[in-house]
Amino acid sequence: MEKLAQKDDLILVLNSGSSSLKFGVYYRGANDEEPLLTGSAEGIGRDNGTLHIRSSSGERLLQRDGILESQIDALAAIAAAIREHIHASPVAVGHRVVHGGPKLRTHQLITPQVMDELRSATHFAPLHIPQALSLIASAQSTFPEAKHFACFDDAFHRTIPEVASHLPLPQRYYDAGIRRYGFHGLSYESLVHHFGDQLPERAIFAHLGNGSSLCALRDGVSIDTTMGLTPTGGIPMGTRCGDLDPGVFLYLLRTAKLDADELEDMLNHQSGLFALSSGESDVKTLEERVRYNDPRAALALNVFAVSVRKGIGAYIALLGGVDLLVFTGGIGEHSDHIRSAATDGLEFLDLTADKIQIVPAQEEQQIARHCRTMMMQP
């Protein structure tokens, strides 16, 4: 494999998901961050897990099937691939961190103080922050000479006005950090970068995947988004419930006698499309079941698509019209059915086909861009 970058030029990006770890090794190209290696570990903790690594030319360098016990195991395999194929260590490691709580709202160098702040913010995202802390610590041990940066998935939405961020609860809870944060910010940032000066004034971005959200942008700035305090809120998702009447939680606590951990697990891992379809969260599989007249699969897809359509309509009203609608994420990019159902009937709001685009998210590349910028700062 041709060596394309100098030793002091490499940035490793780690994009941590609930059961996956995507990564990329980037060097500074003529105009943008360019990948040397990319890959992902999927199905971490399951028997059907996979790890694949490819070169910048698309050559398959590693394909491994079988169980990876944790993201730490996946990181070890990634580090070994870097040593074998690049023969140089990264000078920076960029970490996607879903939630930093109320005090960590900008991308920044990871210091002991930042780690302490993340630990204190665990209750804002108990499913995500402990995993992020563990992976950061392991990466710091694996690449001790590198600078490590945290890129927060909610940072893009710190521009939303108080009317969007302030939840209708007593002020003391807002002061304690209970507010709308929004997520998928790195995906949305990559779309803003993609369009550059061509991004029109009024845009709606829809990141649809296992986790899904929508964002309203004016002049490239987030003014509202569907996710709230946590990535569980907003529209229904693969296994997450999205927004629910608070009375539902009270009913479950009182009648089903669920404790907080059981309720959290159900809302994040047993709800959404998975619950509506009686056990399936994959949209491609659900679409296949619909072709065989499965009513539960049809219900799940319809609930999802209608929720997206309602979000689009609401944001057209908020923006006073729309100049561009962008679909991204695994479902947004690949499901014609969902895109069609989500936009059906919105022509009366002047949402025409020429205003709709499909653009792949480039979260890893966006993290590399941020890291490069932060490395160059004094």
Side-chain angles (χ1 to χ4, degrees), residues 92-114:
V93 182
H95 300 263
R96 173 179 171 264
V97 181
V98 170
H99 206 318
K103 295 182 180 179
L104 298 175
R105 300 301 308 276
T106 60
H107 311 312
Q108 57 194 280
L109 178 71
I110 297 174
T111 64
Q113 292 74 26
V114 168

Side-chain angles (χ1 to χ4, degrees), residues 91-338:
V91 296
V93 182
H95 300 263
R96 173 179 171 264
V97 181
V98 170
H99 206 318
K103 295 182 180 179
L104 298 175
R105 300 301 308 276
T106 60
H107 311 312
Q108 57 194 280
L109 178 71
I110 297 174
T111 64
Q113 292 74 26
V114 168
M115 293 292 279
D116 287 342
E117 194 60 56
L118 268 177
R119 292 186 190 96
S120 68
T122 295
H123 54 285
F124 285 98
L127 299 179
H128 296 92
I129 292 179
Q131 184 170 268
L133 287 165
S134 177
L135 185 62
I136 290 169
S138 181
Q140 288 176 326
S141 177
T142 304
F143 303 105
E145 302 301 320
K147 291 184 176 180
H148 292 253
F149 297 95
C151 292
F152 294 100
D153 216 19
D154 62 336
F156 181 67
H157 302 295
R158 66 185 184 275
T159 57
I160 65 176
E162 189 175 18
V163 69
S165 67
H166 207 304
L167 303 176
L169 294 170
Q171 180 65 31
R172 63 183 180 275
Y173 295 111
Y174 183 86
D175 295 340
I178 306 301
R179 62 191 70 165
R180 183 179 306 281
Y181 289 89
F183 304 94
H184 291 135
L186 291 160
S187 171
Y188 296 142
E189 285 178 354
S190 76
L191 296 180
V192 172
H193 184 275
H194 169 83
F195 287 101
D197 294 340
Q198 302 304 307
L199 183 66
E201 176 189 357
R202 303 170 301 181
I204 299 170
F205 293 165
H207 181 113
L208 308 182
N210 190 51
S212 298
S213 70
L214 291 89
C215 177
L217 300 93
R218 189 179 299 280
D219 296 320
V221 173
S222 173
I223 64 168
D224 207 340
T225 188
T226 54
M227 283 180 169
L229 174 70
T230 73
T232 310
I235 62 175
M237 304 170 228
T239 62
R240 301 176 218 168
C241 61
D243 290 344
L244 289 177
D245 176 351
V248 174
F249 306 132
L250 298 175
Y251 176 89
L252 293 172
L253 290 170
R254 290 170 173 159
T255 306
K257 305 300 183 184
L258 301 180
D259 62 27
D261 290 339
E262 291 170 328
L263 183 60
E264 183 175 58
D265 179 68
M266 186 186 74
L267 299 179
N268 280 285
H269 302 300
Q270 302 173 45
S271 300
L273 300 180
F274 181 85
L276 291 165
S277 68
S278 300
E280 181 57 66
S281 62
D282 180 71
V283 165
K284 186 176 181 180
T285 303
L286 290 172
E287 289 175 347
E288 182 67 23
R289 283 170 49 176
V290 167
R291 285 191 281 271
Y292 288 92
N293 299 314
D294 183 330
R296 302 295 299 181
L299 175 65
L301 294 179
N302 286 337
V303 167
F304 180 66
V306 168
S307 296
V308 176
R309 191 191 316 159
K310 289 161 67 175
I312 294 170
Y315 284 162
I316 293 176
L318 180 66
L319 291 164
V322 63
D323 304 309
L324 175 68
L325 169 63
V326 180
F327 286 103
T328 193
I331 299 170
E333 294 168 34
H334 301 296
S335 176
D336 293 337
H337 174 82
I338 293 297

Side-chain angles (χ1 to χ4, degrees), residues 5-25:
Q6 297 298 317
K7 183 176 180 179
D8 61 353
D9 201 27
L10 301 181
I11 296 174
L12 169 63
V13 173
L14 299 174
N15 185 346
S16 170
S18 57
S19 63
S20 66
L21 180 62
K22 298 178 183 177
F23 85 97
V25 178

